[in-house]
Amino acid sequence: MSAKHDRETGGKRGRHKSAQTRDMILAAAARSFRSKGYSATKLKEIAAAAGIEAGSLYYYFSSKEELLDDVLDIGCRSVIKAVGNARAGSEASGGSFRETFGAMVYEHLNYILQADDFTAANMRNFSMLPPPIRARHRRGFDEYGKIWFDFLTKARDNGDLRSDMDIRTLRRVIFGALNWSVEWFNTEQFSVREYAEKATSLMLDGMLIPTHRWKGQIASGVHVEPMSAELAGKSKAAQTRLHILISASRVLREKGYEGITLRHIAEVAGIEAGSIYYHFASKDEIIDEVLTGGLREITSGVTEVLENETDYPETIERIAAGVRAHMLYLYARNDFVTMNIRIYGQLPQEVRQRHRPIRQQYVGIWSRILKQGQATGKIHTDLDIVPARQLMLGALNWTTNWFNPEFNSMYESKSLEDLINLILILFMDGLDGRREDR
């Protein structure tokens, strides 16, 4: 803040009031970024929520992006401190690996779901942040990741964690399972404490009973055609239409739901903006087709696998094949499917409502197969289906924020198949390295 402004606010008392106003602006921004998303939030809305005139906001922040930087920084530092203290406190009091893991899971979930708008805003907006913003906050993300990396590495060395786990990849998969909770968690269904206990139990013990362990098997083969194959053999009009949709998905990735325009779509597609109207009536029709198209594809493809008792006679085998099919749709056809996942948190409620039936259809097929596994005696009967399903789908979906099958040299797990196998071990058998002994 400038010396001039400091004098205008009246010295020490003025500085205190100024700091309070700045904090109110940040809190209002965090709430709005969390609930509406960064792209949809307007500075005038933040100012109104903070109780100041829109123009006054510029005394404290030069832009919305500067506000976002501070919100992300505060949120990251908050969860670093909370989870770091949870680990240190548990270990200092003689807590076991399970107790410490559970304490860390609880604090992570508490901060993204309940205790802190700043950390929740991090999770809700992360997938759509431009690369330069992510780069500015890389140090904080790395510092938080190191807390978990050191803890899990120590546990593996002590025999508490499975020895066949790639810690760097595992850490990210755990984050994904937990972070996806911001998209669906409802405090009317569970308390955060109860949910954290369920998540801890699932990730440490897995969903399978001891006599039906997965033991690192390879999921059965499923073939998913890449998006480019859809263009082959189609009419010129159909190819142009699909090309527009693919271009729109790329603009959505860059601009977000609020920032996309027909002009942007036309530029990426390499066509005149007016030509789009030969194929679509409006921008909203294009966006709806991108979002529903991805959902329809993954729902149809995974349902076909999960209901295929001929090729996959065992329930657990069908679940594993379904996991693999879900991942193949994310990476073979990621223009549509991945975009739906990434942008969901930014969608207005009326848009979400239009797509809700097919989303419910998709989670419904997973609920049915998990219940079938319980009925056959292969999945724990006390497993709570909803959190187990959402944690597993969250781990799969969140990989789109960090995994690149074409350039993955920084991780020991260098292929999509390696990642799929790690996820299957996590959710089928669990992470507890001493479980087999028991």
Side-chain angles (χ1 to χ4, degrees), residues 97-245:
F97 163 67
R98 296 179 69 90
E99 291 168 335
T100 305
F101 183 85
M104 294 170 70
V105 166
Y106 169 72
E107 288 298 341
H108 183 103
L109 288 171
N110 187 41
Y111 268 77
I112 69 172
L113 296 175
Q114 179 173 267
D116 186 54
D117 286 328
F118 292 88
T119 307
N122 254 309
M123 298 303 102
R124 176 55 60 85
N125 292 279
F126 178 83
S127 64
M128 295 301 296
L129 293 181
I133 296 179
R134 291 199 195 193
R136 290 200 295 271
H137 297 275
R138 180 61 57 195
R139 179 178 296 181
F141 295 148
D142 289 346
E143 183 179 348
Y144 184 55
K146 189 174 187 303
I147 295 173
W148 285 88
F149 179 80
D150 292 346
F151 169 68
L152 295 171
T153 299
K154 178 182 176 182
R156 186 181 63 181
D157 294 344
N158 290 340
D160 294 314
L161 183 74
R162 295 177 63 108
S163 61
D164 55 354
M165 292 287 98
D166 165 23
I167 302 300
R168 292 186 186 279
T169 306
L170 173 64
R171 177 194 64 189
R172 290 172 176 268
V173 171
I174 291 173
F175 287 171
L178 301 178
N179 291 346
W180 189 251
S181 303
V182 300
E183 303 293 354
W184 68 271
F185 184 79
N186 186 342
T187 53
E188 294 179 1
Q189 290 181 298
F190 311 99
S191 69
V192 175
R193 176 72 67 180
E194 180 186 11
Y195 175 51
E197 291 171 355
K198 292 178 183 296
T200 298
S201 177
L202 175 63
M203 288 191 287
L204 292 183
D205 297 329
M207 64 176 65
L208 301 185
I209 64 173
T211 54
H212 288 86
R213 310 299 290 165
W214 180 248
K215 296 182 179 178
Q217 299 175 57
I218 304 299
S220 298
V222 177
H223 182 65
V224 176
E225 288 283 349
M227 181 66 72
S228 58
E230 287 291 299
L231 294 171
K234 289 185 177 292
S235 67
K236 184 177 180 180
Q239 290 187 26
T240 301
R241 191 175 192 279
L242 183 57
H243 180 60
I244 292 170
L245 291 172

Side-chain angles (χ1 to χ4, degrees), residues 1 13-27 50 52 60:
M1 188 175 300
R13 182 177 179 182
R15 287 196 299 271
H16 179 66
K17 183 178 180 180
S18 177
Q20 286 183 324
T21 302
R22 189 177 190 278
D23 289 344
M24 287 191 297
I25 295 170
L26 282 168
I52 64 172
Y60 305 92

